[in-house]
Structures are given as structure tokens and as C-alpha cells.
Amino acid sequence: MSQLQWQWIDNDAALASLCLESRSKDFVAIDTEFVRTRTYYAQLGLIQLYDGVNLALIDPLAITDLSPFWQLLADESVVKVLHSGSEDLEIFAQRGGVVPKPLFDTQVAGVLLNLGAAMGYAKLIKHYLDIDLDKGESRTDWLKRPLSDAQLNYAAADVLYLHQIYPTMLAAITEAGRLDWLWQEGERACRGRLDPERPEKAYLKVKNAFQLKPKQLAVLKSLAHWRLEVAIRKDLAVNFVIKDALLLNIAKKAPRSLAYLEQLEGLDARTFQRYGRSILGAVARADLDNPPEPIDPTGLDPDFREAVAEVRTLVLKLAEQHQVQPEFIASKKLVSQYVNYIWQDCFGKTPDLLQGWRGEICAQPLMKLVLR
């Protein structure tokens, strides 16, 4: 790859000027580079932006005021083009309290255009531009300074080519009659991103939590609440506080003394010294008289599994009929969400399978199924 003509943005005035100009464009291509090894929050190392004129590499380590960039993301007159943007969205929400509107995710567009399963960026660029991207700098520590020309060239290429393929993909998806689907998926990807953390729900993300009995689950709920608060306060990935398997074991044993806790399998001396008393405190705070509902209580029910299978069979037929990837119409999670909704007599939030473009495809056929 030859040297690209990018500009390095490392001060507030330059960023403000860049973003003001970019907000006059119809669309901008955006990417981020970050490091996330032991931290709870991704550590933003670089922001790449191309608006068709300015190919910019923005240094968030040097800039003190990123608000012009956040304002650009929120400007609904400018389409934000990203590829597989889930982690970028997390960073934007956490750092800037914003999500990009409107969002055109080229990976989603590729699926809707029947280019196959979710395509990686390099494969997408090869498909549209017949360019082989050099991914040799993908393991860069983006927090180090200075970054080499090769690293910066690699980063700039991501948004340069993303910007180039957008008009072609936009035309194709418009012709296919699926542009509205694409916008809906962008909104869906951003849904809930700005919601505050809910430590009281953290136990739902603990692996194998469904195995626990009600009182054990009450203990896990208290432990997971405590662990998440520690992780956020220390900016430490939750499993670097205490791993899921150990948290589960503590919940099962519900230790009430340091002596008993110290003997638990999987608890090393360092973790015991650092968190022993806090763990006992979390165990003691568990509300055993009001345990949470069992996790996915119907998931192991044979009748529930049969209902899920029926919905999956229907989805496969609809996917073939409408030429859409089955997993994109309805992942396992969305199918379970729908069956739970039906089993609860349509109580609660309307499932995704009955909303938007999915509802247009699925609602009437689903109504013909007898799932109970």
C-alpha cells in the first residue's frame, strides 16, 4: 500500500475545524482503534475519519475536548458509515454519551445484499474494490506514541476504502428495496447503548448461572452486583476481579467465614487477601427471602425446545423465500425471545420478530403456529 495523504489531528482547534467541515458532507466514514485487555472500558487510541476531502487521524490521547466529534456523530443530516460497528458504538456511548445517527453498517448491508454471512472488512473491500488489505498492523498497541507511518497508513486505509464502497452499497441496497431495513438495523444496534449500567442485573451475564437453585441465585445476584461495581471503579474487566466459575462456586457454597472462604476451590491467596471480606459482605447482603426468577426457566423444558424448533423451521422457510440469511432474520436469542413472549400470553415488550421489517416478514406466518 502506498503512503496515504492523511492529516494528524492532535489539538482541539484542529478537531473543531475538521468536524465543522465534515458536518457539511452527506456522509462520513468512521472507525476507531482501541486497546482492551484487562480494562472494563475499551481504551480509545485513535479515531479515523474520512469525509471525501479530509482523511484524518484523530489523537484522543492529546485532544482535551472531543465534543465536536460527538456532535458530528449526533448530526442526523450526516450518514455515519461504519463496518461491524458494535465495539465502536460502545466506545461512543461510554466516552461521548452519544450514538451515531443515522448509522450505515457495511457489514449489515453486505448481509442484506446476500453477499454471504457477515463479511470481514478485508473481504468486503476485496469484493468491491479488488484490493488486498494489509492486516499486518492489526496487533498494534494503539495507545503507544509515536505510531509508525505503517501503522497510521493502515488505520487511514480503513476509512478511505469504507468511504469509497458506501455509494455502491447504498445504490444496491436501495435497488433491492432494503434501505429502510438497513436504517432499522442501525437504530436497533444503538438501542440501549446510552442506558446506565445496572449492577443488579449483572448476575444474568454470569456463565452457567441457570444451574443455581433460587437461594444460590440470590447470592450470585449480590456477588455479581458487587463485582461489577468493583470492575467499574477500578476500570478492570470483570473476570480480572473474579472469574465467573469462582463466582458461581462462591454462590453455591455461600461462605459465612473467612476460614471457610479460604478453602474454596479456585480462590487464590491474592484474591482472598484483596477481596475476602468484601466477598463475605456481598454474601451476607443476599436477599434469600426474595430470590430472583430462575434464569431461562423454560429453556430446558422439552416443550419449549420443541416450540423453538418450530419457529426455527419457519424462519428457514421465510429466509429462503425472502433471500435473507436465517440467522440475520432470527438468531437463537430472538427466537427464544419470541417463544417466551408467546408463553407469557403476549405480556411485556413486543419481541423483535414482530417489529419493523422482521415483523413484515414474520408476523403473519408466526400467528399460524400453535406453540402451546
Side-chain angles (χ1 to χ4, degrees), residues 65-85:
D65 181 13
L66 283 169
S67 60
F69 179 71
W70 308 136
Q71 291 162 12
L72 169 63
L73 290 183
D75 189 336
E76 296 189 26
S77 70
V78 185
V79 174
K80 269 63 69 173
V81 185
L82 290 88
H83 181 83
S84 186

Side-chain angles (χ1 to χ4, degrees), residues 339-348 372:
V339 176
N340 269 313
Y341 176 75
I342 296 300
W343 277 40
Q344 294 170 17
D345 297 320
C346 300
F347 176 78
R372 296 203 65 174

Side-chain angles (χ1 to χ4, degrees), residues 119-271:
M119 295 176 72
Y121 181 66
K123 190 173 180 180
L124 196 69
I125 296 306
K126 178 65 176 177
H127 174 83
Y128 278 105
L129 302 179
D130 197 25
I131 292 173
D132 293 306
L133 290 181
D134 178 9
K135 305 302 287 184
E137 305 296 337
S138 59
R139 295 184 179 274
T140 291
D141 179 355
W142 296 102
L143 300 177
K144 295 185 72 172
R145 296 294 185 270
L147 295 167
S148 70
D149 283 349
Q151 291 165 337
L152 296 171
N153 210 36
Y154 161 87
D158 278 352
V159 287
L160 174 68
Y161 299 132
L162 192 61
H163 193 278
Q164 290 179 12
I165 67 173
Y166 168 73
T168 303
M169 297 193 81
L170 176 64
I173 205 164
T174 301
E175 183 178 353
R178 293 181 174 180
L179 182 58
D180 190 49
W181 295 15
L182 189 284
W183 298 137
Q184 288 179 36
E185 287 303 294
E187 293 173 2
R188 182 170 175 266
C190 293
R191 188 192 307 161
R193 296 282 181 178
L194 302 180
D195 293 347
E197 293 279 5
R198 298 185 65 187
E200 71 276 9
K201 296 291 185 181
Y203 74 100
L204 295 170
K205 296 182 180 180
V206 178
K207 187 177 180 181
N208 295 323
F210 69 90
Q211 298 174 351
L212 300 186
K213 298 175 182 178
K215 289 189 176 182
Q216 294 173 336
L217 196 58
V219 176
L220 181 68
K221 181 178 180 180
S222 182
L223 286 166
H225 186 296
W226 161 79
R227 182 179 68 165
L228 181 58
E229 289 186 331
V230 172
I232 292 172
R233 186 174 70 251
K234 294 188 173 185
D235 192 14
L236 194 63
V238 291
N239 274 317
F240 282 102
V241 179
I242 290 183
K243 294 186 183 300
D244 278 3
L246 177 56
L247 207 68
L248 210 65
N249 192 31
I250 296 171
K252 289 177 180 178
K253 303 297 183 183
R256 298 288 178 172
S257 71
L258 288 173
Y260 185 72
L261 175 64
E262 191 174 15
Q263 301 304 313
L264 288 188
E265 181 180 354
L267 181 64
D268 61 87
R270 184 176 182 181
T271 302

Side-chain angles (χ1 to χ4, degrees), residues 291-311:
E293 291 291 322
I295 295 175
D296 193 18
T298 55
L300 300 178
D301 186 320
D303 292 334
F304 183 86
R305 292 203 303 268
E306 183 178 338
V308 166
E310 286 189 54
V311 175

